[in-house]
Amino acid sequence: MDLKLFNTLSGSKEIFQPLVPGQVSIYTCGPTVYSDAHIGNLRSYVFPDVLKKTLRRLGYRVNHVINITDVGHLASDADEGEDKMERAARDKGATAWELAALYTERFKEDIRRLHVDPPDNMPKATDHIPEQIALIQTLEQKNFVYRTQDGIYFDTARLPDYGKLARLDTQGLREGSRVARGEKMNKTDFALWKFSPPGVRRQMEWDSPWGRGFPGWHIECSAMAMKYLGDLFDIHTGGKDHIPVHHTNEIAQSEAAVGHPFVRYWLHGEFLVVDSTRDGGERMGKSEGNFLRLQEVIDRGFDPLSYRYLVLNSHYRKFLHFSWDSLKAAETALMGLRRLVREVPWPGNNLNDPTNSAFRDELLADLCDDLNTPKALATLWTTLKNPLISPSEKGGVAALAEELLCLGLNDFSGLDQVQSVPVGVETLARKRLAAREDGNWGESDRLRDEIARLGYQVRDIKGGYELEKSKL
Ligand code: AMP
Ligand code: ZN
């Protein structure tokens, strides 16, 4: 079966062809570990996980790298502002090294709870300073770099196809940017190595042939990708904010250094957004003030896999609108699936039994169509609900779904304790929220009492409410 992937580079779905038969190399830009990841960040690790599991099912051996960015990611993509790690260290009263160690562990724990397979390698930028310096030296030998007062920069004007991934209007950018570019020769030029500010001793800094300082964020990914996957590899993934700057610059410096293409397929995930008064919602971001951690989802009583279900129920290239209601709906759906799976025999390791291959092929075909996870979930639902399909066939489809989507479909623990809130109670709680928003406190109290009579307690939380079954 062919696997089709949407390649940002060509702007179209392409049939995946590996560089080496039977093997696939994937690099995923990892977290900047100055704080916990938010659930939007985590979305960007779920789709490469489904990709990996689909590739394995198709018979490929997969080598996957997720890096850890623990230095050099500045507050602004334009190589300005403080290093996020150093700033967080100052704000939180810990060293940058301590923060990096803490949040790297927390990231590993978050992806584990989301059933994202650990990558084969998780290299840290700070462990690869010599590789980054060597790559900058190669660029220097090839005359792609120049020096300013604050660092060593890449001259993007020397690459005729600079900006091809994002289809940047480089000419327009250059002409319109004479004021904004400061000492840079072109606005799109970017730092490969930044000098420690004069008189300042950074927590993370290294000697280099150009002076004491630290690497730029983009060079980290090129150096680590090349070390673990080679200077041409199959697939690179990340969130779509990386297209115009980070990945554009990774391509520029890597291709300038090696003289040939760097990556065959570039895959980008769309944002998780939170519903807001703005059209289309607002991107969840560490600096946007709408940051939600996986731990908070768990603290509210949700199974983290309900969040995975919510993520898989949207295509990775579409916006995912997060709300507590949508998460609740995802949890209800996941519990419903597990109940259906409980009714059928789990096939153990006879997944390759040909008798039920047609239904399983359909599910795999959904994922081979640019990782159409919502379609795969729909196929699973219709299969499990179809009275004409035998229980053993259903079991085979469920087991394949579990292998590829990893939703804990055969985890029946706690299924019987879960009680969904009756629709009538939910409606009353919504009416009460509207009454509170209108300042109608009398009506709000009356509705709270009515909800209590139906056996539920309503609690106010920021922007909404929570319902809990009253304890006897
Ligand atoms: P960072 O830790 O900021 O380097 O980001 C880690 C990953 O999360 C990157 O691939 C980003 O593109 C991605 N990302 C950031 N915000 C969101 C969001 N709201 N939804 C989905 N992915 C995101
Ligand atoms: Zn990266």
Side-chain angles (χ1 to χ4, degrees):
M1 198 179 290
D2 283 339
L3 169 64
K4 288 200 212 100
L5 298 173
F6 185 90
N7 189 351
T8 308
L9 203 51
S10 63
S12 61
K13 268 192 217 175
E14 295 174 23
I15 294 181
F16 174 72
Q17 306 276 7
L19 280 162
V20 178
Q23 291 183 33
V24 184
S25 42
I26 307 176
Y27 186 91
T28 296
C29 284
T32 311
V33 284
Y34 67 103
S35 74
D36 278 311
H38 56 66
I39 58 169
N41 297 134
L42 294 172
R43 182 187 191 198
S44 290
Y45 302 98
V46 173
F47 81 85
D49 185 59
V50 174
L51 170 64
K52 189 156 115 178
K53 286 162 179 164
T54 304
L55 284 163
R56 283 196 192 131
R57 174 81 325 222
L58 293 172
Y60 291 102
R61 206 147 47 80
V62 180
N63 186 6
H64 187 207
V65 174
I66 302 181
N67 75 289
I68 297 291
T69 296
D70 53 357
V71 66
H73 194 167
L74 302 188
S76 130
D77 276 356
D79 295 315
E80 282 153 16
E82 221 177 329
D83 183 321
K84 294 183 182 191
M85 294 298 306
E86 301 260 335
R87 188 179 60 187
R90 205 192 46 234
D91 293 350
K92 296 183 185 177
T95 69
W97 298 99
E98 285 164 352
L99 289 187
L102 171 70
Y103 293 119
T104 300
E105 284 316 304
R106 297 252 278 255
F107 173 73
K108 287 185 190 164
E109 176 61 8
D110 277 348
I111 62 170
R112 189 193 62 74
R113 294 194 285 198
L114 286 176
H115 284 190
V116 168
D117 270 1
D120 301 278
N121 270 299
M122 206 179 243
K124 293 182 202 165
T126 52
D127 284 343
H128 294 80
I129 302 297
E131 288 83 348
Q132 294 169 68
I133 290 177
L135 191 53
I136 302 170
Q137 282 177 312
T138 305
L139 291 168
E140 189 176 34
Q141 281 150 20
K142 296 191 171 190
N143 287 326
F144 279 100
V145 314
Y146 62 93
R147 186 183 185 108
T148 71
Q149 276 182 25
D150 74 355
I152 301 296
Y153 281 77
F154 184 92
D155 179 1
T156 55
R158 291 226 33 228
L159 276 185
D161 62 355
Y162 177 79
K164 62 187 170 186
L165 183 74
R167 293 169 189 78
L168 293 182
D169 169 15
T170 43
Q171 196 54 37
L173 274 172
R174 278 171 197 147
E175 280 162 8
S177 67
R178 294 198 203 292
V179 183
R181 72 184 188 221
E183 259 197 282
K184 290 200 281 187
M185 285 173 19
N186 308 286
K187 189 180 179 200
T188 45
D189 294 355
F190 55 91
L192 297 163
W193 186 264
K194 290 274 269 191
F195 303 134
S196 297
V200 174
R201 201 165 168 84
R202 283 174 47 99
Q203 297 185 23
M204 293 174 156
E205 57 177 14
W206 295 265
D207 286 325
S208 80
W210 312 279
R212 202 157 173 79
F214 58 100
W217 169 37
H218 319 304
I219 199 78
E220 300 176 357
C221 282
S222 291
M224 291 186 276
M226 285 185 192
K227 172 161 179 179
Y228 293 96
L229 302 174
D231 60 19
L232 171 59
F233 61 93
D234 293 300
I235 302 175
H236 196 312
T237 78
K240 89 161 197 205
D241 51 324
H242 286 346
I243 299 173
V245 180
H246 183 51
H247 290 168
T248 285
N249 293 343
E250 265 190 58
I251 292 176
Q253 66 202 2
S254 305
E255 297 191 352
V258 300
H260 58 69
F262 171 51
V263 172
R264 302 278 295 279
Y265 302 86
W266 286 88
L267 269 57
H268 291 100
E270 186 48 270
F271 291 138
L272 176 138
V273 294
V274 277
D275 284 325
S276 74
T277 45
R278 273 180 34 189
D279 272 356
E282 178 182 51
R283 170 188 166 187
M284 181 170 286
K286 289 179 187 167
S287 38
E288 274 78 356
N290 54 16
F291 185 119
L292 187 63
R293 297 170 176 84
L294 188 63
Q295 186 57 52
E296 291 164 75
V297 166
I298 295 167
D299 290 344
R300 287 228 189 169
F302 287 98
D303 179 339
L305 295 179
S306 300
Y307 176 63
R308 187 172 168 109
Y309 185 100
L310 182 71
V311 167
L312 297 181
N313 210 22
S314 283
H315 191 263
Y316 77 95
R317 286 193 293 114
K318 297 232 164 80
F319 284 106
L320 169 57
H321 288 260
F322 178 82
S323 68
W324 290 108
D325 278 348
S326 62
L327 183 61
K328 231 177 252 172
E331 179 138 298
T332 307
L334 178 58
M335 297 305 156
L337 268 183
R338 288 177 181 167
R339 280 197 189 89
L340 289 173
V341 172
R342 187 166 57 172
E343 303 306 311
V344 299
W346 194 255
N349 53 10
N350 75 341
L351 243 194
N352 294 321
D353 172 4
T355 54
N356 53 28
S357 66
F359 303 109
R360 286 191 287 114
D361 283 355
E362 192 180 335
L363 195 116
L364 187 58
D366 294 335
L367 296 179
C368 284
D369 182 12
D370 193 28
L371 310 178
N372 195 340
T373 51
K375 178 84 185 350
L377 283 173
T379 299
L380 178 61
W381 275 105
T382 42
T383 307
L384 289 173
K385 288 188 139 184
N386 187 340
L388 302 176
I389 300 176
S390 73
S392 75
E393 283 175 315
K394 289 179 180 177
V397 177
L400 179 65
E402 182 56 19
E403 177 187 314
L404 299 169
L405 303 176
C406 278
L407 286 163
L409 293 172
N410 57 341
D411 175 4
F412 310 129
S413 59
L415 259 194
D416 297 322
Q417 288 107 357
V418 177
Q419 289 184 348
S420 49
V421 176
V423 179
V425 174
E426 227 16 287
T427 310
L428 289 172
R430 278 209 199 98
K431 276 194 193 154
R432 182 173 166 276
L433 180 64
R436 287 176 65 78
E437 281 167 352
D438 291 336
N440 191 345
W441 310 114
E443 177 67 356
S444 156
D445 287 349
R446 190 190 69 71
L447 287 163
R448 188 192 52 219
D449 294 344
E450 202 176 328
I451 291 167
R453 273 197 297 280
L454 293 170
Y456 283 82
Q457 277 185 334
V458 61
R459 215 180 11 256
D460 297 313
I461 53 170
K462 196 167 157 239
Y465 58 81
E466 273 177 342
L467 285 165
E468 198 184 359
K469 199 142 179 45
S470 304
K471 309 267 180 300
L472 289 176

